[in-house]
């Protein structure tokens, strides 16, 4: 998808979303967080992406405002565009587009604020910050501290249902655990808004869009079906990151 199409989608999608909501096509409850120009990125970072070879990324990747030299993925690891603010990005595949990245990073920040600003949560301090072993229904969840996934957790709902997790502290997923979707739930409708660091443990599997204020660290062998959108850095170690299907 070229940059012009991305701009068009930014203008068109809010109108389409409003039409669907008015027509009842989206289930009652929360509406999805609008990502704007960030919505094709599997990984978007403001301060760099480190990587232990070999990772496999499906979707666009970008860093801004930091130089492209801080994006340490190679061309062969990314099935999508690699956007950088200068010519220092991975060669020969990187696309220099500071203006588009500026828009995408701005939209990432707006999406974070939108998720953090949702009111009237359906669940407050569920599990005292420990959701391992639970099956979570759609809705708005809020924690004033950190959130831990110590064992497998299931998100169960339909393809139009939305989950928004507001986490004031860190998000930590234990090694070899899984976030699993059931009932037709889609990763594109799951939003993890996290104010502190996000750590996904070794050989784990995670689902959903991470809107991180701080670092997102993905440990060795872990897979993600979703997006990693960080206002600081993203660290990878032989990971598979796949943008969610629309």
């Amino acid at each position: 998808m070229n940059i012009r199409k991305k701009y068009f989608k930014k203008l068109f999608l809010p109108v389409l979303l409003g039409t669907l909501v008015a027509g009842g096509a989206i289930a009652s409850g929360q509406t999805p967080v609008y990502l704007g120009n960030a919505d094709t990125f599997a990984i978007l970072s403001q301060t760099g992406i480190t990587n232990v070879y070999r990772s496999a990324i499906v979707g666009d990747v970008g860093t801004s405002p930091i130089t492209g030299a801080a994006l340490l993925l190679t061309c062969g690891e990314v099935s999508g565009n690699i956007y950088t603010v200068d010519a220092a990005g991975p060669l020969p595949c990187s696309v220099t587009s500071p203006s588009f990245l500026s828009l995408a990073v701005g939209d990432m920040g707006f999406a974070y604020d939108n998720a953090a600003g949702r009111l009237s949560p359906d669940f407050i301090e569920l599990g005292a910050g420990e959701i391992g072993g639970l099956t979570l229904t759609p809705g708005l969840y809020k924690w004033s501290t950190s959130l831990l996934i110590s064992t497998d957790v299931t998100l169960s709902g339909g393809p139009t249902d939305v989950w928004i997790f507001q986490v004031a502290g860190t998000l930590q997923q234990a090694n070899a655990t899984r976030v699993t979707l059931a009932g037709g739930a889609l990763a594109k409708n799951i939003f993890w808004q996290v104010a502190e660091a996000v750590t996904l443990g070794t050989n784990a599997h995670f689902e959903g869009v991470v809107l991180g204020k701080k670092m997102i660290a993905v440990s060795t062998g872990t897979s993600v079906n979703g997006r990693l959108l960080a206002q600081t850095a993203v660290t990878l170690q032989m990971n598979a990151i796949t943008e969610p299907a629309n």
Side-chain angles (χ1 to χ4, degrees), residues 130-210:
E130 161 64 274
I131 59 173
L134 300 181
T135 296
L136 305 180
T137 56
L140 178 61
Y141 294 72
K142 184 179 181 66
W143 290 273
S144 60
T145 56
S146 295
L147 181 62
L148 175 64
I149 303 173
S150 63
T151 58
D152 293 354
V153 62
T154 300
L155 278 59
S156 181
T160 57
D161 289 326
V162 175
W163 290 255
I164 298 176
F165 302 100
Q166 299 173 330
V167 184
T170 61
L171 169 61
Q172 183 170 358
Q173 182 179 7
N175 297 342
T177 61
R178 296 185 64 85
V179 176
T180 301
L181 307 185
L186 298 177
K188 69 173 185 176
N189 293 328
I190 301 163
F191 303 91
W192 306 80
Q193 174 263 313
V194 185
E196 299 295 336
V198 175
T199 304
L200 307 182
T202 302
N203 295 323
H205 177 74
F206 189 82
E207 297 271 351
V209 178
V210 180

Side-chain angles (χ1 to χ4, degrees), residues 96-116:
T96 302
S97 185
S99 59
F100 173 60
L101 280 168
S102 179
L103 288 172
V105 166
D107 288 346
M108 175 174 70
F110 287 132
Y112 179 94
D113 291 342
N114 179 278

Side-chain angles (χ1 to χ4, degrees), residues 82-105:
I82 298 178
Y83 291 102
T84 57
V85 298
D86 55 27
L91 295 176
C93 61
S94 62
V95 178
T96 302
S97 185
S99 59
F100 173 60
L101 280 168
S102 179
L103 288 172
V105 166

